[in-house]
Amino acid sequence: MPRGGATPSSQFGYKAQVCDNDDGVIVDYTVEQGNPADAPQLAPAVARITRRAGRPPQVVAADRGYGEARVDAELHALGVRTVAIPRKGQPGQARRAVEHRPAFRRLVKWRTGCEGRIAHLKRRSGWDRTLLDGLAGARTWCGHGVFTHNLTKISGLAG
């Protein structure tokens, strides 16, 4: 959130990462203090999902913040078949060819559509501001938002 002054800087209270499936059900989330880098958080999230589901996801799509070759290698090592994460910076010619494939672009567009889920969590589930103090309180607050979101989503899927 921006703070005022002659040269406004950004201060971060907490940063959340959300992983969802094709149906929009949130299958993993984390809340960290400050503004940690995105890339190191993805493989542990996929490992947690794999442990809970009993198998790795077939496809992982994420935004450019996760776009490192090391992340792709970690995900493939975990058993993920398809990784659709655009690289940071200017990609080389070989990587550009990969990123321009129709299947890759379709997955990136699908991931972009998931931004609405984050907006929904902020708007309807209280993720815009925690009312509990400390990191443990923020994690509890966000957990309740995920629980509420998933109850609503699953009940809608059930019919």
Side-chain angles (χ1 to χ4, degrees):
M1 69 181 86
R3 295 291 177 193
T7 56
S9 63
S10 292
Q11 295 179 354
F12 290 90
Y14 305 103
K15 186 175 185 179
Q17 172 181 273
V18 178
C19 300
D20 59 354
N21 65 10
D22 289 345
D23 293 324
V25 176
I26 297 172
V27 294
D28 187 73
Y29 79 98
T30 56
V31 178
E32 300 297 330
Q33 184 123 26
N35 187 21
D38 291 336
Q41 296 183 38
L42 189 55
V46 171
R48 287 190 300 271
I49 293 166
T50 300
R51 195 170 49 253
R52 289 181 197 130
R55 64 180 178 85
Q58 293 180 7
V59 177
V60 171
D63 65 18
R64 197 172 301 277
Y66 298 92
E68 297 176 4
R70 176 179 51 87
V71 173
D72 287 5
E74 289 172 349
L75 294 177
H76 286 300
L78 288 171
V80 177
R81 289 192 326 199
T82 305
V83 177
I85 304 174
R87 290 285 162 79
K88 296 177 184 176
Q90 195 69 285
Q93 190 172 12
R95 181 63 189 182
R96 198 172 312 127
V98 169
E99 291 185 12
H100 285 319
R101 290 184 184 145
F104 188 94
R105 293 170 63 110
R106 186 173 49 252
L107 288 169
V108 170
K109 286 179 182 178
W110 176 84
R111 201 247 18 115
T112 303
C114 296
E115 290 293 332
R117 191 156 346 283
I118 296 167
H120 186 268
L121 284 166
K122 286 182 177 182
R123 208 173 42 253
R124 300 276 170 108
S125 299
W127 272 38
D128 56 343
R129 187 171 190 88
T130 178
L131 297 181
L132 301 176
D133 292 335
L135 181 59
R139 287 178 174 159
T140 301
W141 186 264
C142 290
H144 288 183
V146 167
F147 182 68
T148 302
H149 170 81
N150 282 347
L151 278 177
T152 305
K153 183 58 86 170
I154 292 169
S155 66
L157 292 170

